[in-house]
Amino acid sequence: MKLDDATARVLSGTKVATEIREGLRPRVETFCRAAGRAPMLGLLLVGADPGSQIYVRNKIKASEGLGMATDLRRLPETASFDDVLDIVRSFNASAAHDGILVQSPLPVGLGAEAEQKIFDAIDPDKDVDGFHPVNVGRLVQKRPALTPCTPLGIIELLDRAQIEISGKRAVVIGRSDIVGKPIAMLLLHRNATVTVCHSKTVALARVASTADILVVAVGVPAFVTRAFVKPGATVIDVGTNPLTDRDRVEMIFGEGTMKMAAFEKRGTVLSGDVHPEVGSVAGALTPVPGGVGPLTIAMLLSNTVRAAEDRLSSDRRT
């Protein structure tokens, strides 16, 4: 089947992200009046990875478009671990910085454990990515915490699309600390019955096909086919995989589709982790692009505003 022939309800992350940002605007204005400054996000970019530079630029644009302040610090590829740590510590100590984001991935020259050590060094109350072990522990215990942005955005999308979570069977394919594990926790806290699948799961397609809500985050183009999906299920596709091979694009999307036309024009196109044929089986499906991606930045802004509000409340109590 062609992507263009899909019949599933499209869950637009772009639309929901716009709603989230507009909902944050009065909170930003209120904070500015109360604090005499804008909420500020400190960002650290190490190296010159093209993808990271685009992500950081988009985060800054979205933040400043909401009336928030940003502070971007750059370090060269040759920076030492201590150079990175010094900037994180300066953000931690600053009274003006409410959120801290260290753009991933860090250069391999910093060492295999550098990223985790740097995330561990961030003040948990400013950890707007939600990666610090303190925030992970709070999430597991269902206590107030800054939560990873992509999973948080998925829950917002389900809620705003009025898709019931409580009592439903949810299957998560992927067990990463960034998406798989935290979305499993969030779904569990909303009374879903949750199964987490991975590369060692036996009969993966059969397990996935029991899901009312299927979340796919494996980083493999078109991995999930029709056989993985229960008719009428809600499918959340977290994958954003660039394709540059024409035969691969044609095999996944087919001739005469909008995706194929886009590839012919640009020489590259994005594929999710979910095959387009799923659109004829699922009840609802997130597109790629325009699905989960915009929600991640929207929830980063939400976490930053929340961190700023919490710090202001704490300052007033002391």
Side-chain angles (χ1 to χ4, degrees):
M1 59 86 67
K2 295 180 180 181
L3 177 67
D4 303 19
D5 297 332
T7 57
R9 172 188 176 193
V10 176
L11 301 178
S12 173
T14 301
K15 176 178 179 292
V16 171
T18 299
E19 293 172 357
I20 292 169
R21 288 196 303 272
E22 290 309 306
L24 290 172
R25 194 175 300 280
R27 290 170 58 187
V28 172
E29 293 170 353
T30 298
F31 178 88
C32 290
R33 289 194 296 269
R37 63 174 182 83
M40 182 179 286
L41 175 63
L43 304 103
L44 174 57
L45 176 61
V46 186
D49 178 77
S52 292
Q53 293 190 70
I54 292 171
Y55 294 147
V56 167
R57 186 163 63 244
N58 290 341
K59 290 166 184 175
I60 291 173
K61 181 179 179 181
S63 299
E64 295 181 349
L66 201 58
M68 297 165 58
T70 57
D71 178 10
L72 173 61
R73 310 284 180 90
R74 294 177 179 268
L75 287 173
E77 190 92 14
T78 55
S80 69
F81 179 84
D82 286 341
D83 292 334
V84 178
L85 191 59
D86 284 345
I87 291 179
V88 169
R89 286 172 172 165
S90 72
F91 283 158
N92 284 343
S94 170
H97 291 80
D98 302 294
I100 301 171
L101 184 147
V102 177
Q103 183 62 41
S104 177
L106 292 174
V108 294
L110 290 173
E113 297 181 359
E115 199 160 279
Q116 188 60 67
K117 289 178 179 177
I118 292 298
F119 290 151
D120 287 355
I122 295 173
D123 180 345
D125 293 334
K126 297 185 179 185
D127 168 39
V128 291
D129 265 332
F131 295 160
H132 193 282
V134 168
N135 285 325
V136 174
R138 288 171 178 164
L139 171 61
V140 170
Q141 294 184 348
K142 201 181 177 181
R143 297 167 63 183
L146 293 169
T147 303
C149 301
T150 299
L152 203 56
I154 291 170
I155 296 297
E156 281 284 343
L157 181 63
L158 293 172
D159 282 347
R160 291 174 187 245
Q162 298 183 322
I163 292 170
E164 185 66 41
I165 299 174
S166 181
K168 300 300 182 180
R169 182 176 293 278
V171 173
V172 179
I173 305 180
R175 52 180 167 178
S176 72
D177 293 335
I178 296 173
V179 179
K181 292 175 186 175
I183 188 60
M185 282 293 103
L186 290 172
L187 290 166
L188 184 62
H189 293 333
R190 294 290 296 272
N191 301 315
T193 299
V194 183
T195 300
V196 178
C197 297
H198 45 77
S199 60
K200 303 299 182 184
T201 300
V202 176
L204 177 55
R206 180 176 59 78
V207 176
S209 67
T210 66
D212 302 301
I213 300 171
L214 179 61
V215 181
V216 189
V218 292
V220 179
F223 177 78
V224 166
T225 60
R226 203 173 358 227
F228 286 69
V229 180
K230 177 182 178 180
T234 296
V235 181
I236 306 297
D237 188 352
V238 184
T240 51
N241 310 289
L243 299 178
T244 56
D245 180 79
R246 190 188 191 285
D247 290 341
R248 187 80 186 276
V249 174
E250 184 178 354
M251 181 176 67
I252 292 173
F253 297 106
E255 278 289 355
T257 59
M258 290 186 291
K259 282 279 192 176
M260 199 67 213
F263 175 80
E264 299 290 9
K265 182 177 181 180
R266 298 193 297 267
T268 184
V269 73
L270 284 179
S271 167
D273 292 347
V274 176
H275 196 285
E277 70 179 20
V278 166
S280 66
V281 180
L285 176 65
T286 56
V288 177
V292 174
L295 294 167
T296 300
I297 293 181
M299 299 318 298
L300 171 68
L301 303 181
S302 179
N303 275 351
T304 304
V305 172
R306 174 181 171 179
E309 292 170 338
D310 288 349
R311 294 183 66 238
L312 182 61
S313 296
S314 178
D315 290 344
R316 286 174 167 174
R317 288 195 298 268
T318 57

